Amino acid sequence: MSPERRSWLMSRVGSKDTLPELVVRRLLHSMGLRFRLHRKDLPGRPDLILPKYQTAIFVHGCFWHRHPGCSKTSNPKSRPEFWQAKFYANVQRDARVVSSLEAIGWKVEVIWECETRDKVKLEKRLRDIFCLDEGWGNRP
Ligand SMILES: [Zn+2]
């Protein structure tokens, strides 16, 4: 990794625009889908919303949000009670946010960080979510 790249990555730590989010945004954009970011007036401030599809997308880090069955969802060895409580709170909050959004008519999708590694699979996943056909038909 180059020093520039490293410092770019470090500069992103703690910012709300994570790399997996940027991957999803770029892909949606390339698919010609319109979205908005971090709408404060919606429960949980979804990472992305697609007003046309009344769909909110969260791009979740596997570790913090406990992706079920994912290899990145490891348990830290030290202070297990602390981590269990923290993870539990995160998962509970996520579930609350999903039901609040659904209650006001939004569809909610979660894209996991590990799903953003494989762009081909991710694009297929997004096409499935938005019921788009393969190929040129839906290109702008
Ligand atoms: Zn994962």
Side-chain angles (χ1 to χ4, degrees):
M1 195 186 289
S2 70
E4 294 76 34
R5 172 91 184 147
R6 186 181 302 277
S7 75
W8 181 82
L9 279 177
M10 290 309 290
S11 75
R12 308 222 65 94
V13 172
S15 99
K16 55 185 193 285
D17 302 325
T18 62
L19 188 58
E21 273 180 58
L22 294 176
V23 169
V24 173
R25 280 191 221 169
R26 272 189 214 118
L27 202 49
L28 287 171
H29 188 76
S30 77
M31 293 164 72
L33 293 165
R34 306 244 174 245
F35 54 85
R36 290 181 183 282
L37 305 174
H38 305 120
R39 273 271 304 269
K40 291 189 193 70
D41 53 337
L42 288 175
R45 276 178 95 228
D47 295 318
L48 300 155
I49 58 158
L50 288 90
K52 183 180 165 188
Y53 296 89
Q54 190 83 350
T55 297
I57 294 184
F58 289 92
V59 184
H60 276 347
C62 299
F63 180 77
W64 286 108
H65 296 271
R66 309 318 277 168
H67 186 190
C70 178
S71 65
K72 295 186 63 104
T73 307
S74 57
N75 286 305
K77 296 252 180 336
S78 68
R79 304 172 72 201
E81 295 82 10
F82 165 82
W83 288 105
Q84 282 312 317
K86 193 151 187 61
F87 293 148
Y88 182 75
N90 285 350
V91 170
Q92 292 291 102
R93 188 178 55 233
D94 291 342
R96 266 202 311 275
V97 164
V98 170
S99 19
S100 309
L101 282 164
E102 285 175 349
I104 55 172
W106 286 82
K107 202 177 149 210
V108 183
E109 296 285 346
V110 173
I111 305 282
W112 294 97
E113 172 191 4
C114 64
E115 293 183 285
T116 63
R117 301 267 157 74
D118 185 334
K119 304 261 165 61
V120 175
K121 271 197 204 149
L122 181 59
E123 181 166 348
K124 168 136 192 7
R125 171 91 205 279
L126 293 170
R127 286 190 180 285
D128 287 347
I129 291 174
F130 300 109
C131 304
L132 302 175
D133 295 327
E134 297 280 338
W136 56 271
N138 284 292
R139 299 274 174 187

